Amino acid sequence: GMRLVQHEGEFLEALTSCQLESQASFGDASVLLEKYLVHPRHVEVQVMADAHGNVVHLYERDCSLQRRHQKVIEEAPASDLDPVIRAKLGEMGTKAAQAVGYVNAGTVEF
């Protein structure tokens, strides 16, 4: 499960709670810590890759509107996205697929 810690004094209790939950659910108490972003954007790039190393992207979509960490609406193309960032996301999406030898349709999330 996820816990939001806003003050240092809350950290150990939240960490212990997550570790106990992880151990009970997965048999492993390992947890992942991430910085909390107050107003994030969840943008995805659709990629298509073949067995010959060719990868193309089918542009981006904004999946920021979520409820309980589940996407409610996917908007394509992502509105109010700087053209330079849009191009960079497509480039990074194709490079990510190529780097792992991906073959198929897939999504790279940012």
Side-chain angles (χ1 to χ4, degrees), residues 1-5 14-15 17-19 21-22 26 31-36 66-70:
M2 292 187 260
R3 309 289 189 282
L4 174 60
V5 175
L15 176 62
S17 175
C18 283
Q19 288 174 321
E21 185 176 339
S22 180
F26 306 108
V31 297
L32 174 67
L33 300 178
E34 295 181 306
K35 181 178 181 176
Y36 179 72
Q66 298 188 12
R67 182 172 184 264
R68 296 184 180 161
H69 311 292
Q70 296 295 316

Side-chain angles (χ1 to χ4, degrees), residues 23-108:
Q23 182 67 42
S25 298
F26 306 108
D28 182 349
S30 298
V31 297
L32 174 67
L33 300 178
E34 295 181 306
K35 181 178 181 176
Y36 179 72
L37 303 175
V38 179
H39 298 291
R41 282 187 81 174
H42 178 139
V43 179
E44 301 177 348
V45 173
Q46 186 76 39
V47 295
M48 299 287 287
D50 66 19
H52 304 286
N54 300 304
V55 181
V56 297
H57 69 86
L58 304 176
Y59 299 94
E60 83 296 332
R61 59 183 175 247
D62 191 326
C63 306
S64 298
L65 185 58
Q66 298 188 12
R67 182 172 184 264
R68 296 184 180 161
H69 311 292
Q70 296 295 316
K71 293 179 267 186
V72 176
I73 294 175
E74 295 183 3
E75 179 184 12
S79 64
D80 196 32
L81 190 62
D82 182 276
V84 173
I85 293 174
R86 176 175 281 120
K88 188 71 173 171
L89 290 173
E91 178 186 337
M92 290 188 301
T94 56
K95 285 183 177 180
Q98 288 171 329
V100 298
Y102 188 77
V103 175
N104 211 329
T107 302
V108 180

